[in-house]
């Protein structure tokens, strides 16, 4: 019965918190360990898993990972992120905070790494040939990395863990030659990345590959993110037709492109009484299997913007058709893998909207 | 009251409510609650903060219907009707982003919650008049996500007192 009382108390605490939660939440900042765990839970666990077992991000608790990377590598990775590869940069955290996250991640290591940083001397040209033969199938011919995100998103995919981008400016700035070399020597047991020593290659061959990976730096430095060519948050067209005809033309334009109208209704549907819904704000959801499946495979978070959605609003006699601009939404994801999907979605919206508004 | 408490008993136990979420344009948390409970918890917390849950889009069922096997994957939309109505009246081009949304999907035993930061959305538009309301949405959404992140799943104690 005491147990029941405890639960009642905690449940009431929850209900209370729900009601009162406008007030500043209580932060738990007792000891360093607790603080580090809190920082990790706050900033990293959503992607890398609470126990470092991976998710949208790659696993961090693997022993082969732990023994292949230095604290400096972890620190810089957190600071710089991986531009275009989902992993954000945490420029908002203080140095001490990043350091305590590094120590927290190190808590998963059984043996500390044994890496003495000194440059590797190798032949990048020979390394390039070896890379093409042994690495490109997973990491891409130019080291651009595998498609998708992290570990299993419980749907079918080619690799259980995505191969990271090696030509990434964030990776190259974080990884010393010896960190890259250690990764090739150890591999990452429990992932598709295997120790390179199982092939009949010399240590010099490995050094050559390291030099080749290092040479990606030259291209990486040149790659620059451009601002979107159409930076309006919403794509808006004014329709010359009345409301009903505009809605009809939109649906025609969708069907003509082999899309299914998945659902339609007022924008206020579910928010207000059915009889009070504004009938002049209409939302049409559309898509087809490929249209929805492809982006979700690349980035499960993209479901926030799926299926396709077009909104029709009539106000003061003016009928407008509109959609959220995918080129602008793109910035949310830090995922270059979405580029083709984003471009296709943008074209689809522009075509459907334009067709309805002419 | 007892019934309500019991519901919470079998569902959620609040551990700690800690500081702000991952700063950024995307709000993301991982909850230990299994998917169905996480979805219920999101709905309950949103409603407790005075918002109306407008609907739950069954993206997973949609995929299933099209012949594709998918895991649990839903988009929940919510808002306050009066606020949304007033905003669209002034700025119709906000309409494609309203009502607000939270994506809820399972990843093995956990559930991930993802939302676009309303504060970030506000920066996309040139209208300074919308900042305050979007900032309030941001605050509320953060609290909702934090509560679900920190909620713990417990089996009913009535059947098994030995745990405690």
């Amino acid at each position: 019965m005491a147990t029941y009382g405890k639960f009642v108390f905690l449940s009431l605490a929850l209900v209370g918190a729900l009601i009162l939660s406008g007030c500043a939440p209580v932060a738990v900042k007792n000891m360093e360990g607790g603080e580090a765990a809190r920082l990790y839970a706050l900033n990293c666990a959503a992607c890398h898993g609470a126990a470092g077992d991976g998710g949208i991000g790659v696993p961090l608790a693997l022993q082969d990972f732990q023994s292949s990377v230095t604290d400096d590598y972890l620190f810089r990775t957190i600071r710089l992120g991986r531009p275009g590869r989902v992993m954000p940069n945490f420029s908002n955290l203080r140095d001490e905070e990043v350091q305590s996250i590094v120590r927290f991640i190190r808590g998963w290591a059984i043996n500390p790494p044994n890496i003495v940083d000194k440059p590797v001397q190798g032949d990048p040209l020979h390394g390039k040939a070896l890379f093409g033969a042994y690495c490109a199938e997973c990491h891409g011919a130019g080291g651009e990395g595998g498609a998708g995100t992290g570990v299993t998103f419980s749907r079918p995919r080619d690799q259980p863990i995505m191969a990271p981008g090696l030509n990434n400016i964030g990776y190259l700035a974080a990884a010393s030659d010896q960190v890259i070399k250690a990764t090739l020597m150890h591999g990452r047991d429990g992932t598709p990345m295997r120790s390179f020593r199982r092939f009949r290659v010399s240590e010099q061959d490995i050094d050559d590959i390291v030099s080749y990976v290092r040479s990606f730096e030259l291209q990486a430095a040149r790659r620059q993110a451009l601002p979107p060519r159409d930076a309006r948050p919403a794509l808006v067209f004014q329709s010359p037709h009345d409301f009903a005809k505009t809605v009809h033309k939109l649906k025609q334009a969708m069907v003509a492109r082999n899309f299914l109208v998945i659902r339609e209704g007022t924008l206020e549907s579910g928010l207000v009484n059915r009889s009070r819904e504004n009938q002049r704000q209409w939302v049409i959801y559309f898509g087809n299997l490929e249209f929805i499946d492809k982006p979700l495979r690349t980035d499960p978070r993209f479901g926030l913007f799926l299926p396709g959605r077009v909104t029709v609003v009539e106000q003061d006699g003016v009928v407008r058709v509109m959609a959220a601009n995918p080129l602008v939404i793109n910035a949310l994801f830090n995922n270059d893998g979405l580029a083709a999907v984003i471009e296709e979605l943008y074209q689809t919206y522009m075509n459907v909207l334009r067709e309805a508004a002419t | 009251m007892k019934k309500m408490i019991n519901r919470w008993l079998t569902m959620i136990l609040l551990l700690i409510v800690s500081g702000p979420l991952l700063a950024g344009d995307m709000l993301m948390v991982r909850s230990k609650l299994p998917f169905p409970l996480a979805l219920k918890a999101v709905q309950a917390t949103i409603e407790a903060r005075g918002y109306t849950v407008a609907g739950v889009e069954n993206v997973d069922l949609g995929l299933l219907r099209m012949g594709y096997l998918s895991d649990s994957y839903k988009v929940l939309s919510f808002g306050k009707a009066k606020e949304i109505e007033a905003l669209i009246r002034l700025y119709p081009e906000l309409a494609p982003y309203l009502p607000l949304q939270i994506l809820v999907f399972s990843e093995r035993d956990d559930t991930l919650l993802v939302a676009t930061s309303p504060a970030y959305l506000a920066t996309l538009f040139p209208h300074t008049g919308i900042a305050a309301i979007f900032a309030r949405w941001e605050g509320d959404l953060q609290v909702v996500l934090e509560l679900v992140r920190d909620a713990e799943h417990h089996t009913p104690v009535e059947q098994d007192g030995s745990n405690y």
Side-chain angles (χ1 to χ4, degrees), chain A residues 4 7 18 21 26 42 45-46 54 155 233 263 296-297 300 303-304 309 315, chain B residues 2 9 12 17 20 22 30 45 49 57 68 73 89 95 97-98 101 108 147 149:
Chain A
Y4 193 78
F7 268 91
L18 294 180
S21 47
V26 206
L42 223 54
R155 322 177 74 225
R263 190 162 61 84
L296 288 191
R297 270 176 198 274
L304 268 178
R309 171 184 165 169
Q315 218 160 271
Chain B
K2 176 111 189 266
L9 278 187
I12 289 175
V17 185
L22 170 66
R30 175 181 295 267
T45 35
R49 296 197 67 81
E57 178 73 21
Y68 191 88
Y73 197 99
R89 171 126 279 286
Y97 290 96
L98 299 172
Q101 295 192 313
R108 282 172 292 185
L147 284 167
R149 178 193 68 201

mmCIF file of all heavy atoms in Angstrom, chain A residues 4 7 18 21 26 42 45-46 54 155 233 263 296-297 300 303-304 309 315, chain B residues 2 9 12 17 20 22 30 45 49 57 68 73 89 95 97-98 101 108 147 149:
data_model
loop_
_atom_site.group_PDB
_atom_site.id
_atom_site.type_symbol
_atom_site.label_atom_id
_atom_site.label_comp_id
_atom_site.label_asym_id
_atom_site.label_seq_id
_atom_site.Cartn_x
_atom_site.Cartn_y
_atom_site.Cartn_z
ATOM 1 N N TYR A 4 1.628 1.965 -3.399
ATOM 2 C CA TYR A 4 0.551 2.641 -4.093
ATOM 3 C C TYR A 4 0.610 4.133 -3.813
ATOM 4 O O TYR A 4 0.524 4.956 -4.723
ATOM 5 C CB TYR A 4 -0.794 2.058 -3.643
ATOM 6 C CG TYR A 4 -1.929 2.477 -4.512
ATOM 7 C CD1 TYR A 4 -2.141 1.879 -5.752
ATOM 8 C CD2 TYR A 4 -2.786 3.511 -4.108
ATOM 9 C CE1 TYR A 4 -3.170 2.285 -6.567
ATOM 10 C CE2 TYR A 4 -3.818 3.916 -4.906
ATOM 11 C CZ TYR A 4 -4.017 3.300 -6.141
ATOM 12 O OH TYR A 4 -5.043 3.705 -6.936
ATOM 13 N N PHE A 7 3.215 5.867 -5.739
ATOM 14 C CA PHE A 7 2.820 6.059 -7.131
ATOM 15 C C PHE A 7 1.827 7.200 -7.279
ATOM 16 O O PHE A 7 1.916 7.998 -8.180
ATOM 17 C CB PHE A 7 2.217 4.773 -7.698
ATOM 18 C CG PHE A 7 3.245 3.934 -8.355
ATOM 19 C CD1 PHE A 7 3.923 2.967 -7.649
ATOM 20 C CD2 PHE A 7 3.554 4.133 -9.690
ATOM 21 C CE1 PHE A 7 4.893 2.206 -8.260
ATOM 22 C CE2 PHE A 7 4.522 3.369 -10.297
ATOM 23 C CZ PHE A 7 5.201 2.401 -9.575
ATOM 24 N N LEU A 18 2.546 18.879 -15.343
ATOM 25 C CA LEU A 18 1.903 19.179 -16.618
ATOM 26 C C LEU A 18 1.221 20.533 -16.554
ATOM 27 O O LEU A 18 1.247 21.307 -17.495
ATOM 28 C CB LEU A 18 0.863 18.118 -16.969
ATOM 29 C CG LEU A 18 1.397 16.731 -17.236
ATOM 30 C CD1 LEU A 18 0.259 15.783 -17.572
ATOM 31 C CD2 LEU A 18 2.394 16.773 -18.378
ATOM 32 N N SER A 21 3.956 23.445 -15.631
ATOM 33 C CA SER A 21 5.257 23.422 -16.296
ATOM 34 C C SER A 21 5.604 24.697 -17.053
ATOM 35 O O SER A 21 6.620 24.766 -17.692
ATOM 36 C CB SER A 21 5.395 22.192 -17.190
ATOM 37 O OG SER A 21 4.238 22.061 -17.949
ATOM 38 N N VAL A 26 13.032 21.965 -12.997
ATOM 39 C CA VAL A 26 14.090 21.759 -12.008
ATOM 40 C C VAL A 26 15.245 21.025 -12.662
ATOM 41 O O VAL A 26 15.097 19.915 -13.135
ATOM 42 C CB VAL A 26 13.573 20.865 -10.850
ATOM 43 C CG1 VAL A 26 14.334 21.140 -9.583
ATOM 44 C CG2 VAL A 26 12.085 21.058 -10.654
ATOM 45 N N LEU A 42 20.496 14.952 -23.079
ATOM 46 C CA LEU A 42 19.888 16.125 -23.679
ATOM 47 C C LEU A 42 20.267 16.305 -25.140
ATOM 48 O O LEU A 42 19.440 16.603 -25.989
ATOM 49 C CB LEU A 42 20.413 17.345 -22.912
ATOM 50 C CG LEU A 42 19.474 18.445 -22.530
ATOM 51 C CD1 LEU A 42 18.295 17.904 -21.772
ATOM 52 C CD2 LEU A 42 20.242 19.451 -21.652
ATOM 53 N N ALA A 45 21.456 11.623 -26.963
ATOM 54 C CA ALA A 45 20.740 10.342 -26.853
ATOM 55 C C ALA A 45 19.656 10.184 -27.910
ATOM 56 O O ALA A 45 19.393 9.072 -28.370
ATOM 57 C CB ALA A 45 20.141 10.186 -25.463
ATOM 58 N N ALA A 46 19.029 11.285 -28.324
ATOM 59 C CA ALA A 46 17.964 11.168 -29.321
ATOM 60 C C ALA A 46 18.490 10.448 -30.553
ATOM 61 O O ALA A 46 17.790 9.638 -31.148
ATOM 62 C CB ALA A 46 17.423 12.543 -29.699
ATOM 63 N N GLY A 54 23.416 3.476 -30.671
ATOM 64 C CA GLY A 54 23.128 3.951 -32.031
ATOM 65 C C GLY A 54 21.651 4.065 -32.320
ATOM 66 O O GLY A 54 20.817 3.530 -31.599
ATOM 67 N N ARG A 155 13.196 -0.474 -40.670
ATOM 68 C CA ARG A 155 12.651 -0.742 -41.982
ATOM 69 C C ARG A 155 13.764 -1.337 -42.836
ATOM 70 O O ARG A 155 14.928 -1.199 -42.508
ATOM 71 C CB ARG A 155 12.170 0.552 -42.633
ATOM 72 C CG ARG A 155 11.522 1.476 -41.669
ATOM 73 C CD ARG A 155 11.133 2.764 -42.309
ATOM 74 N NE ARG A 155 9.978 2.603 -43.159
ATOM 75 C CZ ARG A 155 9.877 3.122 -44.364
ATOM 76 N NH1 ARG A 155 10.866 3.791 -44.890
ATOM 77 N NH2 ARG A 155 8.799 2.960 -45.053
ATOM 78 N N PRO A 233 9.754 31.242 -47.521
ATOM 79 C CA PRO A 233 9.323 30.130 -46.668
ATOM 80 C C PRO A 233 8.113 29.392 -47.245
ATOM 81 O O PRO A 233 7.976 28.187 -47.084
ATOM 82 C CB PRO A 233 8.969 30.796 -45.337
ATOM 83 C CG PRO A 233 8.824 32.249 -45.633
ATOM 84 C CD PRO A 233 9.672 32.546 -46.831
ATOM 85 N N ARG A 263 -5.815 12.560 -48.482
ATOM 86 C CA ARG A 263 -6.788 13.076 -47.521
ATOM 87 C C ARG A 263 -6.997 14.536 -47.840
ATOM 88 O O ARG A 263 -6.086 15.210 -48.317
ATOM 89 C CB ARG A 263 -6.214 12.936 -46.116
ATOM 90 C CG ARG A 263 -7.182 13.209 -44.995
ATOM 91 C CD ARG A 263 -6.653 12.614 -43.672
ATOM 92 N NE ARG A 263 -5.374 13.185 -43.253
ATOM 93 C CZ ARG A 263 -5.261 14.316 -42.578
ATOM 94 N NH1 ARG A 263 -6.330 15.032 -42.290
ATOM 95 N NH2 ARG A 263 -4.087 14.768 -42.192
ATOM 96 N N LEU A 296 11.803 8.810 -46.515
ATOM 97 C CA LEU A 296 11.840 8.196 -45.189
ATOM 98 C C LEU A 296 13.017 7.245 -45.029
ATOM 99 O O LEU A 296 13.553 7.079 -43.944
ATOM 100 C CB LEU A 296 10.539 7.440 -44.899
ATOM 101 C CG LEU A 296 9.309 8.301 -44.635
ATOM 102 C CD1 LEU A 296 8.176 7.454 -44.099
ATOM 103 C CD2 LEU A 296 9.626 9.423 -43.663
ATOM 104 N N ARG A 297 13.410 6.608 -46.095
ATOM 105 C CA ARG A 297 14.590 5.752 -46.041
ATOM 106 C C ARG A 297 15.841 6.585 -45.815
ATOM 107 O O ARG A 297 16.782 6.152 -45.156
ATOM 108 C CB ARG A 297 14.781 5.029 -47.373
ATOM 109 C CG ARG A 297 14.103 3.714 -47.461
ATOM 110 C CD ARG A 297 14.323 3.194 -48.876
ATOM 111 N NE ARG A 297 13.365 2.160 -49.173
ATOM 112 C CZ ARG A 297 13.554 0.883 -48.851
ATOM 113 N NH1 ARG A 297 14.655 0.515 -48.259
ATOM 114 N NH2 ARG A 297 12.640 -0.001 -49.132
ATOM 115 N N PRO A 300 14.475 9.416 -41.505
ATOM 116 C CA PRO A 300 13.148 9.164 -40.928
ATOM 117 C C PRO A 300 12.477 10.453 -40.452
ATOM 118 O O PRO A 300 11.262 10.528 -40.366
ATOM 119 C CB PRO A 300 13.435 8.239 -39.746
ATOM 120 C CG PRO A 300 14.902 8.322 -39.496
ATOM 121 C CD PRO A 300 15.537 8.686 -40.799
ATOM 122 N N GLY A 303 9.489 12.660 -42.303
ATOM 123 C CA GLY A 303 8.052 12.421 -42.184
ATOM 124 C C GLY A 303 7.274 13.631 -41.681
ATOM 125 O O GLY A 303 6.056 13.706 -41.850
ATOM 126 N N LEU A 304 7.979 14.585 -41.074
ATOM 127 C CA LEU A 304 7.316 15.825 -40.656
ATOM 128 C C LEU A 304 6.724 16.556 -41.848
ATOM 129 O O LEU A 304 5.809 17.350 -41.696
ATOM 130 C CB LEU A 304 8.326 16.755 -39.985
ATOM 131 C CG LEU A 304 8.483 16.680 -38.476
ATOM 132 C CD1 LEU A 304 9.555 17.647 -38.036
ATOM 133 C CD2 LEU A 304 7.174 16.995 -37.775
ATOM 134 N N ARG A 309 1.728 18.286 -49.154
ATOM 135 C CA ARG A 309 0.594 19.050 -48.635
ATOM 136 C C ARG A 309 0.464 20.380 -49.373
ATOM 137 O O ARG A 309 1.439 21.126 -49.506
ATOM 138 C CB ARG A 309 0.798 19.346 -47.146
ATOM 139 C CG ARG A 309 -0.236 20.327 -46.627
ATOM 140 C CD ARG A 309 -0.030 20.721 -45.187
ATOM 141 N NE ARG A 309 -0.846 21.904 -44.905
ATOM 142 C CZ ARG A 309 -1.065 22.399 -43.685
ATOM 143 N NH1 ARG A 309 -0.530 21.814 -42.640
ATOM 144 N NH2 ARG A 309 -1.794 23.483 -43.535
ATOM 145 N N GLN A 315 -9.376 34.626 -48.981
ATOM 146 C CA GLN A 315 -9.517 35.714 -48.023
ATOM 147 C C GLN A 315 -9.827 36.990 -48.792
ATOM 148 O O GLN A 315 -9.121 37.315 -49.747
ATOM 149 C CB GLN A 315 -8.197 35.861 -47.258
ATOM 150 C CG GLN A 315 -8.389 36.183 -45.795
ATOM 151 C CD GLN A 315 -7.141 35.846 -44.987
ATOM 152 O OE1 GLN A 315 -6.986 34.727 -44.510
ATOM 153 N NE2 GLN A 315 -6.255 36.791 -44.861
ATOM 154 N N LYS B 2 -9.627 8.349 -9.115
ATOM 155 C CA LYS B 2 -8.897 7.093 -8.940
ATOM 156 C C LYS B 2 -8.561 6.494 -10.313
ATOM 157 O O LYS B 2 -7.446 6.040 -10.554
ATOM 158 C CB LYS B 2 -9.774 6.130 -8.132
ATOM 159 C CG LYS B 2 -9.180 4.739 -7.949
ATOM 160 C CD LYS B 2 -8.774 4.483 -6.498
ATOM 161 C CE LYS B 2 -7.985 3.199 -6.381
ATOM 162 N NZ LYS B 2 -8.824 2.060 -6.048
ATOM 163 N N LEU B 9 -0.719 5.545 -13.319
ATOM 164 C CA LEU B 9 0.062 4.516 -12.638
ATOM 165 C C LEU B 9 0.640 3.532 -13.616
ATOM 166 O O LEU B 9 1.820 3.212 -13.576
ATOM 167 C CB LEU B 9 -0.849 3.733 -11.686
ATOM 168 C CG LEU B 9 -1.120 4.356 -10.335
ATOM 169 C CD1 LEU B 9 -1.877 3.354 -9.484
ATOM 170 C CD2 LEU B 9 0.197 4.706 -9.686
ATOM 171 N N ILE B 12 2.816 6.136 -16.738
ATOM 172 C CA ILE B 12 3.938 7.057 -16.698
ATOM 173 C C ILE B 12 4.367 7.376 -15.287
ATOM 174 O O ILE B 12 3.571 7.475 -14.392
ATOM 175 C CB ILE B 12 3.529 8.394 -17.354
ATOM 176 C CG1 ILE B 12 3.390 8.202 -18.835
ATOM 177 C CG2 ILE B 12 4.498 9.502 -17.061
ATOM 178 C CD1 ILE B 12 2.873 9.424 -19.532
ATOM 179 N N VAL B 17 12.521 16.594 -14.566
ATOM 180 C CA VAL B 17 12.326 17.512 -15.677
ATOM 181 C C VAL B 17 13.596 18.337 -15.726
ATOM 182 O O VAL B 17 13.898 19.093 -14.825
ATOM 183 C CB VAL B 17 11.118 18.418 -15.422
ATOM 184 C CG1 VAL B 17 10.860 19.270 -16.643
ATOM 185 C CG2 VAL B 17 9.902 17.579 -15.105
ATOM 186 N N PRO B 20 16.922 22.706 -20.976
ATOM 187 C CA PRO B 20 16.401 22.856 -22.329
ATOM 188 C C PRO B 20 16.822 21.719 -23.252
ATOM 189 O O PRO B 20 17.765 20.998 -22.960
ATOM 190 C CB PRO B 20 17.039 24.163 -22.798
ATOM 191 C CG PRO B 20 18.281 24.298 -21.985
ATOM 192 C CD PRO B 20 17.993 23.665 -20.673
ATOM 193 N N LEU B 22 17.996 20.001 -26.929
ATOM 194 C CA LEU B 22 18.970 20.220 -27.971
ATOM 195 C C LEU B 22 18.649 21.553 -28.669
ATOM 196 O O LEU B 22 17.586 21.737 -29.224
ATOM 197 C CB LEU B 22 18.821 19.074 -28.960
ATOM 198 C CG LEU B 22 19.551 19.157 -30.279
ATOM 199 C CD1 LEU B 22 21.033 19.115 -30.023
ATOM 200 C CD2 LEU B 22 19.145 17.985 -31.150
ATOM 201 N N ARG B 30 14.372 11.369 -27.305
ATOM 202 C CA ARG B 30 14.174 9.928 -27.298
ATOM 203 C C ARG B 30 13.471 9.558 -26.000
ATOM 204 O O ARG B 30 13.908 9.958 -24.926
ATOM 205 C CB ARG B 30 15.535 9.220 -27.377
ATOM 206 C CG ARG B 30 15.482 7.699 -27.251
ATOM 207 C CD ARG B 30 16.892 7.130 -27.329
ATOM 208 N NE ARG B 30 17.472 7.373 -28.644
ATOM 209 C CZ ARG B 30 17.402 6.516 -29.655
ATOM 210 N NH1 ARG B 30 16.789 5.365 -29.506
ATOM 211 N NH2 ARG B 30 17.949 6.806 -30.811
ATOM 212 N N THR B 45 -0.085 15.376 -22.742
ATOM 213 C CA THR B 45 0.693 16.545 -22.321
ATOM 214 C C THR B 45 0.341 17.772 -23.153
ATOM 215 O O THR B 45 0.275 18.881 -22.640
ATOM 216 C CB THR B 45 2.213 16.294 -22.406
ATOM 217 O OG1 THR B 45 2.483 15.458 -23.505
ATOM 218 C CG2 THR B 45 2.746 15.669 -21.154
ATOM 219 N N ARG B 49 -1.643 21.343 -21.716
ATOM 220 C CA ARG B 49 -1.140 22.709 -21.869
ATOM 221 C C ARG B 49 -2.099 23.597 -22.671
ATOM 222 O O ARG B 49 -1.725 24.674 -23.122
ATOM 223 C CB ARG B 49 0.244 22.703 -22.500
ATOM 224 C CG ARG B 49 1.272 22.005 -21.606
ATOM 225 C CD ARG B 49 2.684 22.319 -21.975
ATOM 226 N NE ARG B 49 3.030 23.713 -21.739
ATOM 227 C CZ ARG B 49 3.359 24.218 -20.560
ATOM 228 N NH1 ARG B 49 3.366 23.445 -19.493
ATOM 229 N NH2 ARG B 49 3.672 25.483 -20.436
ATOM 230 N N GLU B 57 -2.016 11.619 -38.045
ATOM 231 C CA GLU B 57 -1.862 11.094 -39.403
ATOM 232 C C GLU B 57 -1.135 9.760 -39.319
ATOM 233 O O GLU B 57 -0.010 9.667 -38.819
ATOM 234 C CB GLU B 57 -1.054 12.088 -40.241
ATOM 235 C CG GLU B 57 -0.774 11.658 -41.666
ATOM 236 C CD GLU B 57 -2.013 11.729 -42.548
ATOM 237 O OE1 GLU B 57 -2.965 12.465 -42.208
ATOM 238 O OE2 GLU B 57 -2.010 11.029 -43.578
ATOM 239 N N TYR B 68 3.240 -1.480 -48.385
ATOM 240 C CA TYR B 68 4.585 -1.426 -47.833
ATOM 241 C C TYR B 68 4.555 -1.683 -46.343
ATOM 242 O O TYR B 68 3.786 -1.062 -45.611
ATOM 243 C CB TYR B 68 5.211 -0.063 -48.108
ATOM 244 C CG TYR B 68 6.675 -0.033 -47.791
ATOM 245 C CD1 TYR B 68 7.601 -0.403 -48.755
ATOM 246 C CD2 TYR B 68 7.111 0.313 -46.529
ATOM 247 C CE1 TYR B 68 8.936 -0.420 -48.456
ATOM 248 C CE2 TYR B 68 8.453 0.306 -46.223
ATOM 249 C CZ TYR B 68 9.363 -0.059 -47.192
ATOM 250 O OH TYR B 68 10.690 -0.080 -46.901
ATOM 251 N N TYR B 73 4.628 4.814 -37.011
ATOM 252 C CA TYR B 73 5.097 6.088 -37.531
ATOM 253 C C TYR B 73 3.905 7.014 -37.719
ATOM 254 O O TYR B 73 3.095 6.791 -38.611
ATOM 255 C CB TYR B 73 5.786 5.811 -38.869
ATOM 256 C CG TYR B 73 6.668 6.915 -39.354
ATOM 257 C CD1 TYR B 73 8.045 6.853 -39.174
ATOM 258 C CD2 TYR B 73 6.139 8.020 -39.998
ATOM 259 C CE1 TYR B 73 8.865 7.870 -39.608
ATOM 260 C CE2 TYR B 73 6.949 9.041 -40.437
ATOM 261 C CZ TYR B 73 8.311 8.955 -40.249
ATOM 262 O OH TYR B 73 9.121 9.966 -40.685
ATOM 263 N N ARG B 89 -5.310 34.984 -40.714
ATOM 264 C CA ARG B 89 -6.021 36.181 -41.202
ATOM 265 C C ARG B 89 -5.005 37.285 -41.547
ATOM 266 O O ARG B 89 -5.069 37.920 -42.583
ATOM 267 C CB ARG B 89 -7.014 36.639 -40.114
ATOM 268 C CG ARG B 89 -7.677 37.966 -40.358
ATOM 269 C CD ARG B 89 -9.190 37.875 -40.301
ATOM 270 N NE ARG B 89 -9.827 37.380 -41.519
ATOM 271 C CZ ARG B 89 -9.964 38.081 -42.659
ATOM 272 N NH1 ARG B 89 -9.492 39.280 -42.757
ATOM 273 N NH2 ARG B 89 -10.572 37.552 -43.706
ATOM 274 N N ALA B 95 -0.130 29.619 -43.473
ATOM 275 C CA ALA B 95 -1.047 28.473 -43.480
ATOM 276 C C ALA B 95 -0.370 27.122 -43.753
ATOM 277 O O ALA B 95 -0.694 26.135 -43.082
ATOM 278 C CB ALA B 95 -2.184 28.711 -44.474
ATOM 279 N N TYR B 97 2.255 25.959 -42.759
ATOM 280 C CA TYR B 97 2.991 25.460 -41.590
ATOM 281 C C TYR B 97 2.082 25.228 -40.378
ATOM 282 O O TYR B 97 2.553 24.913 -39.286
ATOM 283 C CB TYR B 97 4.102 26.444 -41.221
ATOM 284 C CG TYR B 97 5.231 26.470 -42.225
ATOM 285 C CD1 TYR B 97 5.279 27.415 -43.246
ATOM 286 C CD2 TYR B 97 6.250 25.522 -42.160
ATOM 287 C CE1 TYR B 97 6.319 27.429 -44.171
ATOM 288 C CE2 TYR B 97 7.287 25.524 -43.071
ATOM 289 C CZ TYR B 97 7.317 26.481 -44.075
ATOM 290 O OH TYR B 97 8.341 26.485 -44.980
ATOM 291 N N LEU B 98 0.791 25.400 -40.558
ATOM 292 C CA LEU B 98 -0.139 25.260 -39.436
ATOM 293 C C LEU B 98 -1.206 24.214 -39.733
ATOM 294 O O LEU B 98 -1.571 24.042 -40.888
ATOM 295 C CB LEU B 98 -0.807 26.619 -39.149
ATOM 296 C CG LEU B 98 0.167 27.736 -38.762
ATOM 297 C CD1 LEU B 98 -0.550 29.072 -38.682
ATOM 298 C CD2 LEU B 98 0.857 27.416 -37.439
ATOM 299 N N GLN B 101 3.105 20.461 -35.686
ATOM 300 C CA GLN B 101 3.174 18.992 -35.795
ATOM 301 C C GLN B 101 4.269 18.378 -34.942
ATOM 302 O O GLN B 101 5.307 18.994 -34.721
ATOM 303 C CB GLN B 101 3.455 18.620 -37.247
ATOM 304 C CG GLN B 101 2.317 19.015 -38.184
ATOM 305 C CD GLN B 101 2.477 18.381 -39.529
ATOM 306 O OE1 GLN B 101 3.554 18.413 -40.104
ATOM 307 N NE2 GLN B 101 1.413 17.798 -40.031
ATOM 308 N N ARG B 108 13.319 0.541 -32.455
ATOM 309 C CA ARG B 108 13.404 -0.597 -31.528
ATOM 310 C C ARG B 108 12.470 -0.374 -30.338
ATOM 311 O O ARG B 108 11.325 -0.058 -30.519
ATOM 312 C CB ARG B 108 14.846 -0.835 -31.123
ATOM 313 C CG ARG B 108 15.591 -1.559 -32.237
ATOM 314 C CD ARG B 108 17.052 -1.646 -31.978
ATOM 315 N NE ARG B 108 17.680 -0.333 -32.043
ATOM 316 C CZ ARG B 108 18.968 -0.102 -31.957
ATOM 317 N NH1 ARG B 108 19.790 -1.105 -31.754
ATOM 318 N NH2 ARG B 108 19.457 1.098 -32.080
ATOM 319 N N LEU B 147 8.812 16.353 -21.030
ATOM 320 C CA LEU B 147 8.015 15.495 -20.148
ATOM 321 C C LEU B 147 7.933 14.079 -20.698
ATOM 322 O O LEU B 147 8.041 13.109 -19.958
ATOM 323 C CB LEU B 147 6.610 16.084 -19.963
ATOM 324 C CG LEU B 147 6.532 17.278 -19.012
ATOM 325 C CD1 LEU B 147 5.194 17.984 -19.145
ATOM 326 C CD2 LEU B 147 6.748 16.828 -17.568
ATOM 327 N N ARG B 149 10.059 12.726 -22.796
ATOM 328 C CA ARG B 149 11.409 12.153 -22.742
ATOM 329 C C ARG B 149 11.702 11.566 -21.368
ATOM 330 O O ARG B 149 12.289 10.497 -21.241
ATOM 331 C CB ARG B 149 12.445 13.238 -23.051
ATOM 332 C CG ARG B 149 13.885 12.737 -22.968
ATOM 333 C CD ARG B 149 14.880 13.890 -22.960
ATOM 334 N NE ARG B 149 14.785 14.654 -21.721
ATOM 335 C CZ ARG B 149 15.208 15.916 -21.588
ATOM 336 N NH1 ARG B 149 15.721 16.553 -22.615
ATOM 337 N NH2 ARG B 149 15.092 16.537 -20.431
#
